[in-house]
């Protein structure tokens, strides 16, 4: 199972943003994440946008590259 180290300290992610980022790294779509977390797709997309800004990435590929050192596999 893919889990990130705590990303709040180095990047300022909220708990919700971190949970969503972890699901993105597992290959989940925005809709999958929304369904699993009981949130709307728009809320999930807002969290993704904010997390991407905090992580200084624009794509999922950049997200993987940025967080590779923080992954506990």
């Amino acid at each position: 199972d893919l889990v990130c180290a705590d990303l709040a300290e180095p990047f300022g992610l909220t708990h919700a943003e971190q949970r969503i980022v972890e699901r993105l790294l597992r290959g989940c779509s925005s809709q999958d994440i929304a369904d699993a977390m009981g949130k709307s797709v728009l809320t999930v997309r807002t969290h993704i946008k904010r997390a991407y800004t905090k992580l200084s990435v624009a794509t999922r590929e950049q997200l993987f590259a940025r967080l590779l050192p923080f992954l506990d596999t």
Side-chain angles (χ1 to χ4, degrees):
D1 200 18
L2 186 66
V3 179
C4 287
D6 183 15
L7 300 176
E9 181 78 25
F11 300 108
L13 293 186
T14 65
H15 180 68
E17 290 166 349
Q18 178 157 335
R19 288 177 48 214
I20 288 171
V21 164
E22 288 177 348
R23 290 178 187 269
L24 287 173
L25 293 172
R26 290 186 194 117
C28 294
S29 69
S30 296
Q31 185 65 59
D32 293 336
I33 296 167
D35 292 344
M37 296 180 72
K39 298 187 180 290
S40 74
V41 174
L42 292 176
T43 298
V44 169
R45 288 183 182 154
T46 298
H47 284 301
I48 292 170
K49 183 178 178 179
R50 289 180 181 160
Y52 275 24
T53 298
K54 291 176 182 180
L55 294 164
S56 300
V57 300
T59 66
R60 236 181 243 213
E61 291 80 13
Q62 291 174 351
L63 179 69
F64 273 94
R66 181 82 164 121
L67 295 182
L68 191 58
F70 296 91
L71 298 180
D72 299 327
T73 54

